[in-house]
Amino acid sequence: MIDKTVAAISTPPGEGGIAVIRISGPEAIVIADKSFRSYSGKFLSEIKGYSALYGEVVSENSVIDDAVATVFRAPKSFTGENTVEFSVHGGRLVAKNVLRAVIKNGACPADRGEFTKRAFLNGKIDLTKAESIINIINAKNEIALRISQAAKNGRISKEIDSLIEKLLELSASFSVYADYPDDEIENLNPENFHSSLDEILYKLKNMIDTFDLGKKLCDGIECAIIGKPNVGKSTLMNALSRTERSIVTDIAGTTRDVVDSAVVLGDTTLILSDTAGIHQTDDIVEKAGVDRSFQKLDSAMIVIAVFDASSPLDDDDRIIIDSISDNAIIVLNKSDLGLKADISAFKGMTVVNISAKNNQGIDTLSEAILAKIKADRLDSDDAVLINDRQFNCVNRAYESLYEAKTAMENHVTLDAVGICIDDSLKALLELTGRRVTNEVSDEIFSRFCVGK
Ligand code: GDP
């Protein structure tokens, strides 16, 4: 039971149409009544949940601002507690003064994420839904938003809860076995046991497999633009990001290091890196830049390898061709100047002709990048893991269960198998928050902002 009533400004700082001050806890309506005078003369304590009064927020009889006060009654509120929200004019001062008045009348300042934490503690949401709220707030692109909304609507919880139920049944069978080792227990029949385990392992593995691509699509796909000096890498970077981030000159070797730029492409985000031109050189500084370009070439998920279409390929181009693999898209730039490059060198590769300077072929290149990312491998309405904590829990659950399967196959005692199943169960209970330490939940909610 939470006995403190807390308050915070729930809207972002700065100027805006309205600001919302939220009060939640057992005394929320009483405190709000002390801070508010409705124009109708009614008190907030007299009205039903989901209704509002228009009036003014006051502090020691002086008016702070006009306000609409909305009342939510427990348990039908976001936090599950009595809640009042004052909507006042936007701007830091008004909101601050309202918050001050509410605190003077008995509310305590809310910690980071305290409203969401209370929703969790009052059983309104589980941890996966709480975490999805941070992800919705932080979503940088449409895919991140859709994945987070699916999680908020219970996509991950539903999947995990059904696996928890199955594991609980298995765990119960093992407990019975420990007490009555001579009895025949149906679930412990090796065939049934293996098929139950395989089904759970399969579902856990599917979730694990969503993590890598899911996280990259949400946070940004690393995409390296490489090529020898002067082929138009920086011009292409600017065409793709539509800014002047990279310095475009006709002096070879102008970009001596990596320049990054985040660009929204379709539903996802690209982290574009304009790298130093790859060429054979004895200059130490240039060499360091070239080494970094090769590192980017190796680490990026997508490589855009740029060549000058208007001149024959040379040794530097051939070094690049030998270094790339099937995550690369060949871009033949300067195609406005005609084609002199020997395109047979790019047989079997994805090739796009562009003129970065004239902004031609950029849409085709964008489509080729999206096709290479293969974002459609992932259904954003599915249970997609994009959070490290959740991924680690599912991974732990998978590994423990796999151990249970191996132990069973190797005829290790059933007691030992039971322990592995319980470990797997523990990891899933921690994932949804049904069994979680205060330290873990405190850490999760400390990542929220004040007022959420
Ligand atoms: P980087 O060294 O590979 O980054 O090359 P830059 O982007 O700095 O471009 C080198 C030169 O090529 C500049 O003078 C650009 O204006 C020019 N350039 C870039 N793209 C094109 C293009 O599509 N057509 C033509 N004709 N010139 C281009």
Side-chain angles (χ1 to χ4, degrees), residues 7 38 121 137 149 203 248 250-251 274 294 316 354 384 389 421:
S38 78
L121 294 174
I137 292 171
Q149 278 169 337
K203 290 193 167 163
V248 179
D250 46 13
I251 307 157
D274 180 12
F294 276 113
D316 288 333
I354 68 161
V384 177
R389 186 194 73 86
I421 291 182

Short mmCIF file of all heavy atoms in Angstrom, two decimals, residues 7 38 121 137 149 203 248 250-251 274 294 316 354 384 389 421:
data_model
loop_
_atom_site.label_atom_id
_atom_site.label_comp_id
_atom_site.label_asym_id
_atom_site.label_seq_id
_atom_site.Cartn_x
_atom_site.Cartn_y
_atom_site.Cartn_z
N ALA A 7 3.23 14.54 -6.70
CA ALA A 7 2.84 15.44 -7.80
C ALA A 7 4.05 15.81 -8.63
O ALA A 7 5.17 15.82 -8.12
CB ALA A 7 2.21 16.70 -7.22
N SER A 38 -13.54 25.88 -8.28
CA SER A 38 -14.24 25.74 -9.56
C SER A 38 -15.19 26.91 -9.74
O SER A 38 -15.68 27.48 -8.76
CB SER A 38 -15.02 24.41 -9.59
OG SER A 38 -16.19 24.53 -8.84
N LEU A 121 3.38 -1.14 -9.53
CA LEU A 121 3.20 -1.68 -8.17
C LEU A 121 1.72 -1.97 -7.88
O LEU A 121 1.39 -2.88 -7.14
CB LEU A 121 3.75 -0.70 -7.12
CG LEU A 121 5.27 -0.50 -7.16
CD1 LEU A 121 5.70 0.58 -6.19
CD2 LEU A 121 6.00 -1.82 -6.86
N ILE A 137 8.07 6.94 -25.77
CA ILE A 137 8.49 8.35 -25.59
C ILE A 137 9.78 8.61 -26.38
O ILE A 137 9.95 9.66 -26.99
CB ILE A 137 8.71 8.65 -24.08
CG1 ILE A 137 7.35 8.62 -23.37
CG2 ILE A 137 9.39 10.00 -23.88
CD1 ILE A 137 7.43 8.70 -21.85
N GLN A 149 4.54 0.16 -29.31
CA GLN A 149 3.09 0.16 -29.07
C GLN A 149 2.55 -1.26 -28.95
O GLN A 149 1.69 -1.54 -28.11
CB GLN A 149 2.36 0.92 -30.17
CG GLN A 149 2.41 2.42 -29.91
CD GLN A 149 1.93 3.26 -31.06
OE1 GLN A 149 1.96 2.81 -32.21
NE2 GLN A 149 1.54 4.47 -30.77
N LYS A 203 9.71 -21.12 -29.18
CA LYS A 203 9.12 -19.77 -29.03
C LYS A 203 10.13 -18.79 -28.44
O LYS A 203 10.20 -17.62 -28.86
CB LYS A 203 7.87 -19.84 -28.15
CG LYS A 203 6.76 -20.56 -28.89
CD LYS A 203 5.44 -20.40 -28.22
CE LYS A 203 4.35 -20.88 -29.17
NZ LYS A 203 3.10 -21.14 -28.51
N VAL A 248 32.32 19.10 -48.96
CA VAL A 248 32.46 18.67 -50.35
C VAL A 248 33.49 19.58 -51.04
O VAL A 248 33.31 20.78 -51.11
CB VAL A 248 31.11 18.75 -51.09
CG1 VAL A 248 31.27 18.33 -52.54
CG2 VAL A 248 30.07 17.90 -50.40
N ASP A 250 36.81 19.47 -54.32
CA ASP A 250 37.42 18.60 -55.32
C ASP A 250 38.89 18.34 -55.01
O ASP A 250 39.65 17.88 -55.83
CB ASP A 250 37.22 19.12 -56.75
CG ASP A 250 37.50 20.59 -56.85
OD1 ASP A 250 38.09 21.12 -55.87
OD2 ASP A 250 37.14 21.20 -57.85
N ILE A 251 39.29 18.62 -53.74
CA ILE A 251 40.65 18.25 -53.31
C ILE A 251 40.56 16.87 -52.69
O ILE A 251 39.82 16.67 -51.71
CB ILE A 251 41.20 19.25 -52.27
CG1 ILE A 251 41.08 20.68 -52.80
CG2 ILE A 251 42.63 18.91 -51.87
CD1 ILE A 251 41.06 21.73 -51.73
N ASP A 274 30.29 8.94 -43.34
CA ASP A 274 31.10 9.34 -44.49
C ASP A 274 32.54 9.09 -44.09
O ASP A 274 33.04 9.70 -43.15
CB ASP A 274 30.86 10.83 -44.78
CG ASP A 274 31.66 11.31 -45.96
OD1 ASP A 274 32.22 10.46 -46.70
OD2 ASP A 274 31.74 12.53 -46.16
N PHE A 294 38.35 1.16 -43.22
CA PHE A 294 38.25 -0.30 -43.32
C PHE A 294 37.52 -0.88 -42.10
O PHE A 294 36.76 -1.83 -42.23
CB PHE A 294 39.64 -0.94 -43.48
CG PHE A 294 40.10 -0.95 -44.91
CD1 PHE A 294 41.18 -0.19 -45.33
CD2 PHE A 294 39.43 -1.73 -45.86
CE1 PHE A 294 41.59 -0.20 -46.66
CE2 PHE A 294 39.84 -1.75 -47.19
CZ PHE A 294 40.92 -0.98 -47.59
N ASP A 316 43.02 1.37 -56.60
CA ASP A 316 42.32 1.68 -55.34
C ASP A 316 40.89 1.14 -55.38
O ASP A 316 40.40 0.58 -54.40
CB ASP A 316 42.30 3.21 -55.09
CG ASP A 316 43.69 3.73 -54.71
OD1 ASP A 316 44.47 2.94 -54.15
OD2 ASP A 316 43.98 4.92 -55.00
N ILE A 354 23.89 6.74 -60.05
CA ILE A 354 23.36 8.00 -59.51
C ILE A 354 24.21 9.18 -59.98
O ILE A 354 25.32 8.99 -60.50
CB ILE A 354 23.32 8.01 -57.96
CG1 ILE A 354 24.75 8.02 -57.38
CG2 ILE A 354 22.53 6.86 -57.38
CD1 ILE A 354 24.80 8.48 -55.94
N VAL A 384 8.54 -8.27 -30.36
CA VAL A 384 9.92 -7.96 -30.77
C VAL A 384 10.68 -7.39 -29.57
O VAL A 384 10.21 -6.47 -28.92
CB VAL A 384 9.92 -6.93 -31.93
CG1 VAL A 384 11.34 -6.57 -32.32
CG2 VAL A 384 9.16 -7.47 -33.12
N ARG A 389 17.55 -5.61 -21.17
CA ARG A 389 17.14 -6.37 -19.99
C ARG A 389 16.21 -7.51 -20.41
O ARG A 389 16.37 -8.66 -20.00
CB ARG A 389 16.42 -5.45 -19.00
CG ARG A 389 16.08 -6.11 -17.67
CD ARG A 389 15.10 -5.27 -16.87
NE ARG A 389 13.76 -5.31 -17.42
CZ ARG A 389 12.87 -6.25 -17.13
NH1 ARG A 389 13.15 -7.22 -16.30
NH2 ARG A 389 11.66 -6.22 -17.68
N ILE A 421 14.66 -26.06 -15.00
CA ILE A 421 13.34 -25.52 -15.39
C ILE A 421 12.97 -24.35 -14.48
O ILE A 421 12.48 -23.32 -14.94
CB ILE A 421 12.28 -26.64 -15.35
CG1 ILE A 421 12.58 -27.63 -16.47
CG2 ILE A 421 10.87 -26.06 -15.47
CD1 ILE A 421 11.62 -28.74 -16.59
#
